Amino acid sequence: MTDVRIKSAAKALPEFERLTSEILPFVPLWLHGEPDRLIRKAVKIFEGAGVDKRYGIMDAETVFTASSFEDRNRIYAREVKKLGEEVLSKSLAKADWEAESLDYLITVSCTGIMIPSLDAYLVNALSLRGDVCRLPVTEMGCAAGISGLIYAYHFLKANPGKRAAVIAVESPAATFQFSDHSMANIISAAIFGDGASCVLMSSEPEAQGPKILGEGMYHFPNTTHLMGFDLTNSGLKMILDPAVPETISEHFYPMLGPFLAKQNKELEDLKHLIFHPGGRKIVQTVSELFKGQEANLDDTREVLRCYGNMSSATVLYVLERFLERNIAPGELGLLLSFGPGFTAQRILLEF
């Protein structure tokens, strides 16, 4: 029986750091010409988003300036290469692995368009082996960080003695629509930040780290309208339906119960909840669903507060916090994220 384990995780942050209090003066300027009521509401959304600070590949002045899709995507392509190289190098050093020891390279991003994809550039930048197996994961939004781990798990499970890297690099700032004053765009601007993460995994017999007991995807029926992007002439326009928290609540137990039962586990067995901080309302919804359980969302809230929602990379920031703790052997953790589709991605870990 081949075990797949998570070896380590590391993060990299872009150049520009900004407090939410520093962003607030830009909001009335951005929404100039709109009713005062909308502007006041937008400011309150930023203040109440649960995000104190975030990082970006562009400074705030550039973000809150009208620019073309081409210009923003060019910045995205330039900066994600830097962040991808930095975070993979950092993660390899942390694990004491050589770059040429990697057998699988999975890159995750939905906030820009690159062909060749990021993984091709990383092969050259870090001199990975010429036969490394590459998989770019796109168009899966916030769920894709765990999706990448699931794909790596399947590669490794079928191929004992191998190593994989999953790299998520996102820049929601590159998708910001200056001319879009919709509530979806205001909310996304209030919660999102940019960042990168890399998780290393192994199916080597001597591998150390949390073991993956089970994984799976849950597809919510007839919900493709809830979340995603519209590709417009000005770039990627956010779709965010206010019914998302309610939909999660309605499907929560069908989504988790059978999944845990396959491993002969129950909700009460979970000691650690490694949940993607999609936004304050989603975090509150899931927190209520886990009310009374030992597992909590303290780390999820802290990552949201310090970095914002970095789409697919964010849950991997939460995972890193757990990997750096001295968790008792045998305790169970649940990796969970939601994304366009509408889908839930789940991984059950044994520490």
Side-chain angles (χ1 to χ4, degrees):
M1 192 71 168
T2 302
D3 288 339
V4 177
R5 295 183 180 270
I6 294 177
K7 172 67 174 176
S8 67
K11 61 179 170 291
L13 294 162
E15 174 184 357
F16 298 101
E17 176 184 348
R18 46 195 180 252
L19 299 172
T20 296
S21 58
E22 296 170 327
I23 296 174
L24 290 178
F26 289 94
V27 176
L29 298 175
W30 166 42
L31 299 175
H32 179 72
E34 295 289 351
D36 289 344
R37 176 175 45 83
L38 176 63
I39 295 173
R40 288 195 301 270
K41 184 173 183 179
V43 169
K44 285 185 178 180
I45 288 171
F46 272 81
E47 291 174 335
V51 181
D52 289 352
K53 183 172 63 174
R54 71 201 78 202
Y55 295 78
I57 64 170
M58 296 173 266
D59 60 27
E61 289 80 3
T62 303
V63 173
F64 286 98
T65 300
S67 59
S68 70
F69 181 26
E70 180 180 354
D71 287 342
R72 286 177 182 265
N73 198 71
R74 186 180 292 115
I75 297 172
Y76 163 88
R78 182 189 71 213
E79 296 301 321
V80 298
K81 290 174 195 173
K82 295 178 188 175
L83 286 168
E85 182 177 350
E86 179 186 347
V87 79
L88 178 54
S89 298
K90 188 183 290 187
S91 195
L92 288 168
K94 197 173 184 178
D96 197 24
W97 285 6
E98 297 296 327
E100 58 267 24
S101 72
L102 290 176
D103 302 288
Y104 304 101
L105 180 64
I106 298 174
T107 53
V108 179
S109 191
C110 70
T111 45
I113 298 170
M114 288 174 61
I115 302 174
S117 50
L118 172 61
D119 42 294
Y121 294 96
L122 295 179
V123 170
N124 293 319
L126 278 81
S127 300
L128 271 64
R129 295 201 319 266
D131 65 348
V132 68
C133 181
R134 296 164 41 210
L135 175 64
V137 178
T138 64
E139 301 169 1
M140 294 188 74
C142 294
I146 296 181
S147 302
L149 301 183
I150 290 173
Y151 299 142
Y153 168 81
H154 283 282
F155 282 141
L156 294 169
K157 190 77 173 173
N159 297 278
K162 302 294 185 181
R163 292 176 172 180
V166 178
I167 302 158
V169 188
E170 299 281 17
S171 174
T175 72
F176 176 72
Q177 297 285 298
F178 183 78
S179 60
D180 178 11
H181 296 172
S182 69
M183 195 53 59
N185 196 41
I186 292 170
I187 292 170
S188 65
I191 65 174
F192 281 114
D194 300 350
S197 181
C198 177
V199 175
L200 299 181
M201 301 168 62
S202 174
S203 58
E204 298 165 296
E206 68 276 14
Q208 300 294 312
K211 179 171 68 175
I212 295 179
L213 296 182
E215 46 70 37
M217 302 184 183
Y218 180 92
H219 298 273
F220 295 68
N222 303 314
T223 54
T224 53
H225 63 283
L226 288 182
M227 186 181 291
F229 284 124
D230 271 338
L231 181 54
T232 69
N233 288 335
S234 58
L236 298 167
K237 184 177 179 181
M238 174 62 67
I239 300 169
L240 187 59
D241 195 294
V244 166
E246 179 185 347
T247 304
I248 292 171
S249 294
E250 290 173 354
H251 288 263
F252 189 74
Y253 294 105
M255 173 194 70
L256 267 189
F259 170 72
L260 293 172
K262 282 183 181 179
Q263 305 300 324
N264 296 313
K265 308 296 181 187
E266 298 178 353
L267 206 60
E268 293 76 16
D269 297 320
L270 299 175
K271 303 296 184 185
H272 309 284
L273 185 56
I274 307 160
F275 178 58
H276 170 76
R280 186 180 58 80
K281 285 188 177 180
I282 291 176
V283 172
Q284 185 59 39
T285 296
V286 174
S287 180
E288 287 296 321
L289 292 165
F290 273 91
K291 194 172 183 179
Q293 306 295 324
E294 183 174 348
N296 63 63
L297 288 146
D298 291 348
D299 288 276
T300 291
R301 290 190 178 92
E302 187 63 10
V303 167
L304 182 66
R305 186 182 72 81
C306 294
Y307 307 102
N309 178 355
M310 299 164 287
S311 192
S312 65
T314 328
V315 70
L316 306 182
Y317 277 53
V318 183
L319 173 62
E320 183 183 3
R321 294 172 68 90
F322 282 90
L323 295 179
E324 291 175 346
R325 290 209 185 107
N326 188 23
I327 294 175
E331 292 190 351
L332 299 181
L334 177 71
L335 272 157
L336 177 65
S337 64
F338 300 102
F342 185 67
T343 67
Q345 317 285 303
R346 306 150 301 173
I347 292 177
L348 184 63
L349 290 180
E350 181 182 75
F351 285 89

Short mmCIF file of all heavy atoms in Angstrom, two decimals, residues 79-135:
data_model
loop_
_atom_site.label_atom_id
_atom_site.label_comp_id
_atom_site.label_asym_id
_atom_site.label_seq_id
_atom_site.Cartn_x
_atom_site.Cartn_y
_atom_site.Cartn_z
N GLU A 79 5.27 38.92 -13.02
CA GLU A 79 5.41 38.77 -11.58
C GLU A 79 5.18 37.35 -11.10
O GLU A 79 5.81 36.91 -10.12
CB GLU A 79 4.47 39.74 -10.86
CG GLU A 79 4.81 41.21 -11.11
CD GLU A 79 6.20 41.59 -10.67
OE1 GLU A 79 6.64 41.10 -9.61
OE2 GLU A 79 6.86 42.36 -11.39
N VAL A 80 4.27 36.59 -11.73
CA VAL A 80 4.05 35.22 -11.25
C VAL A 80 5.26 34.34 -11.55
O VAL A 80 5.53 33.38 -10.81
CB VAL A 80 2.76 34.59 -11.84
CG1 VAL A 80 1.54 35.37 -11.40
CG2 VAL A 80 2.82 34.42 -13.33
N LYS A 81 6.01 34.65 -12.58
CA LYS A 81 7.26 33.91 -12.82
C LYS A 81 8.23 34.12 -11.66
O LYS A 81 8.85 33.17 -11.17
CB LYS A 81 7.90 34.37 -14.13
CG LYS A 81 7.16 33.98 -15.39
CD LYS A 81 7.82 34.63 -16.60
CE LYS A 81 6.93 34.58 -17.82
NZ LYS A 81 7.50 35.35 -18.96
N LYS A 82 8.35 35.37 -11.21
CA LYS A 82 9.24 35.67 -10.08
C LYS A 82 8.77 34.96 -8.82
O LYS A 82 9.55 34.33 -8.10
CB LYS A 82 9.27 37.17 -9.82
CG LYS A 82 9.88 38.03 -10.92
CD LYS A 82 9.79 39.50 -10.50
CE LYS A 82 10.19 40.43 -11.62
NZ LYS A 82 9.99 41.86 -11.22
N LEU A 83 7.48 35.09 -8.53
CA LEU A 83 6.93 34.48 -7.31
C LEU A 83 7.01 32.96 -7.37
O LEU A 83 7.30 32.30 -6.36
CB LEU A 83 5.49 34.93 -7.11
CG LEU A 83 5.29 36.36 -6.63
CD1 LEU A 83 3.83 36.78 -6.75
CD2 LEU A 83 5.77 36.53 -5.18
N GLY A 84 6.72 32.38 -8.53
CA GLY A 84 6.78 30.93 -8.68
C GLY A 84 8.18 30.40 -8.44
O GLY A 84 8.37 29.39 -7.73
N GLU A 85 9.17 31.06 -9.01
CA GLU A 85 10.56 30.64 -8.81
C GLU A 85 10.96 30.79 -7.35
O GLU A 85 11.60 29.90 -6.76
CB GLU A 85 11.49 31.47 -9.70
CG GLU A 85 12.95 31.07 -9.59
CD GLU A 85 13.85 31.85 -10.53
OE1 GLU A 85 13.32 32.58 -11.41
OE2 GLU A 85 15.08 31.74 -10.36
N GLU A 86 10.59 31.91 -6.74
CA GLU A 86 10.94 32.15 -5.34
C GLU A 86 10.32 31.11 -4.42
O GLU A 86 11.00 30.55 -3.54
CB GLU A 86 10.50 33.55 -4.91
CG GLU A 86 10.81 33.86 -3.46
CD GLU A 86 10.25 35.20 -3.00
OE1 GLU A 86 9.83 36.01 -3.85
OE2 GLU A 86 10.22 35.44 -1.77
N VAL A 87 9.04 30.83 -4.60
CA VAL A 87 8.35 29.95 -3.65
C VAL A 87 8.78 28.50 -3.84
O VAL A 87 8.89 27.74 -2.87
CB VAL A 87 6.82 30.12 -3.75
CG1 VAL A 87 6.22 29.38 -4.94
CG2 VAL A 87 6.15 29.68 -2.46
N LEU A 88 9.06 28.07 -5.08
CA LEU A 88 9.53 26.71 -5.30
C LEU A 88 10.94 26.55 -4.72
O LEU A 88 11.23 25.55 -4.05
CB LEU A 88 9.51 26.36 -6.78
CG LEU A 88 10.04 24.97 -7.15
CD1 LEU A 88 9.33 23.87 -6.36
CD2 LEU A 88 9.91 24.72 -8.66
N SER A 89 11.80 27.53 -4.94
CA SER A 89 13.16 27.48 -4.38
C SER A 89 13.12 27.42 -2.86
O SER A 89 13.84 26.64 -2.23
CB SER A 89 13.96 28.70 -4.83
OG SER A 89 14.10 28.73 -6.23
N LYS A 90 12.27 28.24 -2.27
CA LYS A 90 12.14 28.30 -0.82
C LYS A 90 11.64 26.96 -0.27
O LYS A 90 12.15 26.45 0.76
CB LYS A 90 11.18 29.42 -0.43
CG LYS A 90 11.11 29.70 1.06
CD LYS A 90 10.09 30.78 1.37
CE LYS A 90 10.53 32.14 0.90
NZ LYS A 90 9.59 33.20 1.37
N SER A 91 10.66 26.37 -0.93
CA SER A 91 10.09 25.11 -0.46
C SER A 91 11.09 23.97 -0.59
O SER A 91 11.21 23.13 0.31
CB SER A 91 8.81 24.80 -1.26
OG SER A 91 8.06 23.80 -0.63
N LEU A 92 11.84 23.92 -1.69
CA LEU A 92 12.86 22.88 -1.87
C LEU A 92 13.94 22.99 -0.80
O LEU A 92 14.38 21.98 -0.24
CB LEU A 92 13.47 22.99 -3.26
CG LEU A 92 12.57 22.57 -4.44
CD1 LEU A 92 13.18 23.00 -5.76
CD2 LEU A 92 12.33 21.06 -4.43
N ALA A 93 14.36 24.22 -0.51
CA ALA A 93 15.38 24.41 0.53
C ALA A 93 14.86 23.98 1.90
O ALA A 93 15.59 23.37 2.69
CB ALA A 93 15.80 25.88 0.56
N LYS A 94 13.61 24.28 2.16
CA LYS A 94 12.98 23.92 3.44
C LYS A 94 12.95 22.41 3.63
O LYS A 94 13.14 21.90 4.74
CB LYS A 94 11.56 24.49 3.46
CG LYS A 94 10.90 24.58 4.81
CD LYS A 94 9.57 25.33 4.66
CE LYS A 94 8.89 25.56 5.99
NZ LYS A 94 7.62 26.32 5.82
N ALA A 95 12.73 21.68 2.52
CA ALA A 95 12.63 20.21 2.57
C ALA A 95 13.98 19.54 2.36
O ALA A 95 14.09 18.31 2.49
CB ALA A 95 11.65 19.73 1.51
N ASP A 96 15.00 20.33 2.01
CA ASP A 96 16.32 19.79 1.67
C ASP A 96 16.23 18.84 0.48
O ASP A 96 16.84 17.77 0.46
CB ASP A 96 16.96 19.10 2.88
CG ASP A 96 18.46 18.90 2.70
OD1 ASP A 96 19.07 19.66 1.93
OD2 ASP A 96 19.01 17.97 3.33
N TRP A 97 15.45 19.25 -0.52
CA TRP A 97 15.33 18.50 -1.77
C TRP A 97 16.07 19.25 -2.87
O TRP A 97 16.09 20.50 -2.89
CB TRP A 97 13.87 18.36 -2.20
CG TRP A 97 13.06 17.36 -1.43
CD1 TRP A 97 13.43 16.65 -0.34
CD2 TRP A 97 11.71 16.99 -1.72
NE1 TRP A 97 12.39 15.85 0.09
CE2 TRP A 97 11.33 16.04 -0.74
CE3 TRP A 97 10.78 17.37 -2.69
CZ2 TRP A 97 10.06 15.46 -0.73
CZ3 TRP A 97 9.52 16.79 -2.67
CH2 TRP A 97 9.16 15.83 -1.70
N GLU A 98 16.61 18.49 -3.82
CA GLU A 98 17.18 19.09 -5.02
C GLU A 98 16.09 19.26 -6.06
O GLU A 98 15.18 18.43 -6.16
CB GLU A 98 18.31 18.21 -5.58
CG GLU A 98 19.51 18.05 -4.66
CD GLU A 98 20.21 19.37 -4.41
OE1 GLU A 98 20.24 20.22 -5.33
OE2 GLU A 98 20.74 19.56 -3.30
N ALA A 99 16.20 20.31 -6.85
CA ALA A 99 15.17 20.58 -7.86
C ALA A 99 15.02 19.42 -8.84
O ALA A 99 13.90 19.06 -9.25
CB ALA A 99 15.50 21.87 -8.62
N GLU A 100 16.15 18.78 -9.21
CA GLU A 100 16.07 17.70 -10.20
C GLU A 100 15.48 16.41 -9.63
O GLU A 100 15.25 15.44 -10.36
CB GLU A 100 17.45 17.41 -10.79
CG GLU A 100 18.52 17.05 -9.79
CD GLU A 100 19.32 18.26 -9.33
OE1 GLU A 100 18.80 19.39 -9.40
OE2 GLU A 100 20.47 18.07 -8.89
N SER A 101 15.17 16.42 -8.31
CA SER A 101 14.54 15.22 -7.73
C SER A 101 13.03 15.21 -7.94
O SER A 101 12.37 14.21 -7.66
CB SER A 101 14.85 15.13 -6.24
OG SER A 101 14.13 16.12 -5.49
N LEU A 102 12.46 16.32 -8.44
CA LEU A 102 11.02 16.39 -8.64
C LEU A 102 10.60 15.58 -9.86
O LEU A 102 11.19 15.66 -10.93
CB LEU A 102 10.57 17.85 -8.84
CG LEU A 102 10.62 18.75 -7.60
CD1 LEU A 102 10.23 20.18 -7.99
CD2 LEU A 102 9.73 18.23 -6.49
N ASP A 103 9.54 14.80 -9.66
CA ASP A 103 8.98 13.99 -10.77
C ASP A 103 7.74 14.62 -11.37
O ASP A 103 7.44 14.40 -12.54
CB ASP A 103 8.64 12.59 -10.24
CG ASP A 103 9.85 11.90 -9.65
OD1 ASP A 103 10.73 11.49 -10.42
OD2 ASP A 103 9.91 11.77 -8.40
N TYR A 104 6.99 15.38 -10.56
CA TYR A 104 5.75 16.01 -11.00
C TYR A 104 5.74 17.47 -10.59
O TYR A 104 6.11 17.81 -9.47
CB TYR A 104 4.53 15.30 -10.41
CG TYR A 104 4.49 13.83 -10.72
CD1 TYR A 104 4.88 12.89 -9.77
CD2 TYR A 104 4.07 13.37 -11.97
CE1 TYR A 104 4.87 11.53 -10.06
CE2 TYR A 104 4.06 12.02 -12.26
CZ TYR A 104 4.46 11.10 -11.31
OH TYR A 104 4.45 9.76 -11.61
N LEU A 105 5.31 18.32 -11.51
CA LEU A 105 5.25 19.76 -11.25
C LEU A 105 3.86 20.25 -11.64
O LEU A 105 3.49 20.24 -12.82
CB LEU A 105 6.31 20.49 -12.08
CG LEU A 105 6.38 22.01 -11.92
CD1 LEU A 105 6.75 22.40 -10.49
CD2 LEU A 105 7.37 22.61 -12.91
N ILE A 106 3.08 20.67 -10.63
CA ILE A 106 1.71 21.13 -10.85
C ILE A 106 1.64 22.60 -10.47
O ILE A 106 1.99 22.98 -9.35
CB ILE A 106 0.72 20.31 -10.00
CG1 ILE A 106 0.78 18.83 -10.42
CG2 ILE A 106 -0.70 20.85 -10.14
CD1 ILE A 106 -0.04 17.91 -9.54
N THR A 107 1.23 23.43 -11.42
CA THR A 107 1.07 24.85 -11.14
C THR A 107 -0.40 25.22 -11.21
O THR A 107 -1.15 24.71 -12.04
CB THR A 107 1.88 25.71 -12.12
OG1 THR A 107 1.55 25.34 -13.46
CG2 THR A 107 3.36 25.54 -11.90
N VAL A 108 -0.80 26.14 -10.32
CA VAL A 108 -2.21 26.50 -10.15
C VAL A 108 -2.36 28.01 -10.23
O VAL A 108 -1.66 28.74 -9.53
CB VAL A 108 -2.72 26.00 -8.78
CG1 VAL A 108 -4.18 26.41 -8.59
CG2 VAL A 108 -2.57 24.49 -8.64
N SER A 109 -3.25 28.47 -11.10
CA SER A 109 -3.56 29.91 -11.16
C SER A 109 -4.80 30.11 -12.02
O SER A 109 -5.03 29.38 -12.99
CB SER A 109 -2.39 30.70 -11.75
OG SER A 109 -2.59 32.08 -11.58
N CYS A 110 -5.59 31.14 -11.65
CA CYS A 110 -6.79 31.45 -12.44
C CYS A 110 -6.91 32.95 -12.72
O CYS A 110 -7.89 33.39 -13.31
CB CYS A 110 -8.05 30.96 -11.73
SG CYS A 110 -8.45 31.89 -10.24
N THR A 111 -5.91 33.74 -12.28
CA THR A 111 -6.06 35.19 -12.30
C THR A 111 -5.31 35.86 -13.46
O THR A 111 -5.17 37.08 -13.49
CB THR A 111 -5.61 35.79 -10.96
OG1 THR A 111 -4.37 35.17 -10.56
CG2 THR A 111 -6.64 35.52 -9.88
N GLY A 112 -4.83 35.07 -14.38
CA GLY A 112 -4.17 35.59 -15.57
C GLY A 112 -4.03 34.48 -16.60
O GLY A 112 -4.37 33.33 -16.33
N ILE A 113 -3.52 34.85 -17.76
CA ILE A 113 -3.39 33.88 -18.85
C ILE A 113 -1.96 33.85 -19.33
O ILE A 113 -1.39 34.90 -19.66
CB ILE A 113 -4.34 34.24 -20.01
CG1 ILE A 113 -5.80 34.18 -19.54
CG2 ILE A 113 -4.14 33.29 -21.20
CD1 ILE A 113 -6.79 34.74 -20.53
N MET A 114 -1.36 32.65 -19.35
CA MET A 114 0.01 32.47 -19.82
C MET A 114 0.10 31.20 -20.67
O MET A 114 -0.32 30.14 -20.23
CB MET A 114 0.99 32.34 -18.65
CG MET A 114 1.24 33.58 -17.87
SD MET A 114 2.27 33.25 -16.41
CE MET A 114 3.77 32.62 -17.17
N ILE A 115 0.64 31.31 -21.85
CA ILE A 115 0.95 30.14 -22.68
C ILE A 115 2.31 30.41 -23.32
O ILE A 115 2.42 31.33 -24.14
CB ILE A 115 -0.11 29.91 -23.78
CG1 ILE A 115 -1.50 29.72 -23.16
CG2 ILE A 115 0.25 28.68 -24.62
CD1 ILE A 115 -2.62 29.63 -24.18
N PRO A 116 3.38 29.68 -22.98
CA PRO A 116 3.42 28.53 -22.08
C PRO A 116 3.02 28.91 -20.65
O PRO A 116 3.16 30.05 -20.23
CB PRO A 116 4.89 28.09 -22.12
CG PRO A 116 5.47 28.73 -23.33
CD PRO A 116 4.70 29.99 -23.53
N SER A 117 2.56 27.89 -19.93
CA SER A 117 2.14 28.11 -18.55
C SER A 117 3.35 28.23 -17.62
O SER A 117 4.48 27.94 -18.00
CB SER A 117 1.22 26.97 -18.10
OG SER A 117 1.81 25.71 -18.38
N LEU A 118 3.08 28.66 -16.40
CA LEU A 118 4.14 28.95 -15.43
C LEU A 118 5.11 27.80 -15.26
O LEU A 118 6.32 28.01 -15.14
CB LEU A 118 3.49 29.31 -14.08
CG LEU A 118 4.43 29.48 -12.89
CD1 LEU A 118 5.43 30.60 -13.13
CD2 LEU A 118 3.63 29.73 -11.62
N ASP A 119 4.61 26.57 -15.24
CA ASP A 119 5.47 25.41 -14.99
C ASP A 119 6.60 25.29 -16.02
O ASP A 119 7.70 24.87 -15.68
CB ASP A 119 4.64 24.13 -14.94
CG ASP A 119 3.58 24.08 -16.01
OD1 ASP A 119 2.66 24.90 -15.96
OD2 ASP A 119 3.67 23.22 -16.90
N ALA A 120 6.33 25.66 -17.28
CA ALA A 120 7.37 25.59 -18.30
C ALA A 120 8.54 26.51 -17.96
O ALA A 120 9.72 26.15 -18.13
CB ALA A 120 6.78 25.96 -19.66
N TYR A 121 8.23 27.70 -17.47
CA TYR A 121 9.28 28.65 -17.09
C TYR A 121 10.06 28.15 -15.87
O TYR A 121 11.28 28.36 -15.77
CB TYR A 121 8.67 30.02 -16.81
CG TYR A 121 8.08 30.67 -18.03
CD1 TYR A 121 6.73 30.57 -18.31
CD2 TYR A 121 8.88 31.38 -18.93
CE1 TYR A 121 6.17 31.15 -19.45
CE2 TYR A 121 8.34 31.97 -20.07
CZ TYR A 121 6.98 31.84 -20.32
OH TYR A 121 6.44 32.41 -21.45
N LEU A 122 9.37 27.49 -14.95
CA LEU A 122 10.03 26.98 -13.75
C LEU A 122 10.99 25.84 -14.08
O LEU A 122 12.03 25.70 -13.42
CB LEU A 122 8.99 26.53 -12.72
CG LEU A 122 8.10 27.63 -12.15
CD1 LEU A 122 7.09 27.05 -11.17
CD2 LEU A 122 8.93 28.71 -11.48
N VAL A 123 10.65 25.03 -15.06
CA VAL A 123 11.56 23.96 -15.49
C VAL A 123 12.91 24.56 -15.88
O VAL A 123 13.98 24.06 -15.50
CB VAL A 123 10.95 23.16 -16.66
CG1 VAL A 123 12.00 22.23 -17.27
CG2 VAL A 123 9.75 22.36 -16.19
N ASN A 124 12.87 25.65 -16.63
CA ASN A 124 14.10 26.30 -17.06
C ASN A 124 14.79 27.05 -15.93
O ASN A 124 16.01 26.97 -15.76
CB ASN A 124 13.81 27.27 -18.21
CG ASN A 124 13.35 26.55 -19.47
OD1 ASN A 124 13.89 25.52 -19.82
ND2 ASN A 124 12.35 27.10 -20.13
N ALA A 125 14.01 27.80 -15.15
CA ALA A 125 14.59 28.65 -14.11
C ALA A 125 15.32 27.85 -13.04
O ALA A 125 16.35 28.29 -12.51
CB ALA A 125 13.49 29.50 -13.47
N LEU A 126 14.80 26.66 -12.69
CA LEU A 126 15.40 25.86 -11.63
C LEU A 126 16.10 24.60 -12.15
O LEU A 126 16.50 23.75 -11.37
CB LEU A 126 14.34 25.47 -10.58
CG LEU A 126 14.05 26.54 -9.53
CD1 LEU A 126 13.08 27.59 -10.08
CD2 LEU A 126 13.47 25.93 -8.27
N SER A 127 16.22 24.50 -13.48
CA SER A 127 16.91 23.35 -14.10
C SER A 127 16.33 22.03 -13.65
O SER A 127 17.06 21.11 -13.22
CB SER A 127 18.42 23.41 -13.81
OG SER A 127 18.99 24.60 -14.31
N LEU A 128 14.99 21.92 -13.73
CA LEU A 128 14.34 20.66 -13.43
C LEU A 128 14.67 19.64 -14.53
O LEU A 128 15.09 20.02 -15.64
CB LEU A 128 12.83 20.84 -13.32
CG LEU A 128 12.29 21.21 -11.93
CD1 LEU A 128 12.81 22.55 -11.46
CD2 LEU A 128 10.76 21.22 -11.93
N ARG A 129 14.46 18.37 -14.23
CA ARG A 129 14.74 17.33 -15.22
C ARG A 129 13.89 17.51 -16.48
O ARG A 129 12.75 17.96 -16.40
CB ARG A 129 14.45 15.94 -14.64
CG ARG A 129 15.34 15.52 -13.50
CD ARG A 129 15.36 14.00 -13.34
NE ARG A 129 14.06 13.40 -13.51
CZ ARG A 129 13.20 13.13 -12.52
NH1 ARG A 129 13.52 13.46 -11.28
NH2 ARG A 129 12.05 12.55 -12.75
N GLY A 130 14.43 17.12 -17.59
CA GLY A 130 13.71 17.24 -18.84
C GLY A 130 12.50 16.35 -18.95
O GLY A 130 11.61 16.60 -19.76
N ASP A 131 12.44 15.31 -18.10
CA ASP A 131 11.29 14.39 -18.17
C ASP A 131 10.29 14.64 -17.04
O ASP A 131 9.41 13.80 -16.80
CB ASP A 131 11.75 12.93 -18.14
CG ASP A 131 12.43 12.55 -16.83
OD1 ASP A 131 12.76 13.46 -16.02
OD2 ASP A 131 12.65 11.34 -16.60
N VAL A 132 10.40 15.79 -16.34
CA VAL A 132 9.44 16.09 -15.28
C VAL A 132 8.04 16.20 -15.90
O VAL A 132 7.86 16.75 -16.99
CB VAL A 132 9.82 17.37 -14.53
CG1 VAL A 132 9.68 18.61 -15.40
CG2 VAL A 132 8.99 17.54 -13.26
N CYS A 133 7.05 15.65 -15.22
CA CYS A 133 5.67 15.67 -15.72
C CYS A 133 4.98 16.94 -15.24
O CYS A 133 4.90 17.18 -14.04
CB CYS A 133 4.93 14.43 -15.21
SG CYS A 133 3.22 14.32 -15.78
N ARG A 134 4.50 17.76 -16.19
CA ARG A 134 3.90 19.05 -15.87
C ARG A 134 2.38 19.00 -16.00
O ARG A 134 1.84 18.37 -16.89
CB ARG A 134 4.41 20.13 -16.84
CG ARG A 134 5.87 20.43 -16.77
CD ARG A 134 6.32 21.21 -18.01
NE ARG A 134 5.33 22.21 -18.40
CZ ARG A 134 5.13 22.62 -19.66
NH1 ARG A 134 5.81 22.11 -20.65
NH2 ARG A 134 4.22 23.55 -19.91
N LEU A 135 1.73 19.72 -15.08
CA LEU A 135 0.27 19.88 -15.17
C LEU A 135 -0.11 21.28 -14.71
O LEU A 135 -0.03 21.59 -13.52
CB LEU A 135 -0.46 18.84 -14.30
CG LEU A 135 -1.98 19.00 -14.22
CD1 LEU A 135 -2.63 18.78 -15.58
CD2 LEU A 135 -2.58 18.04 -13.19
#
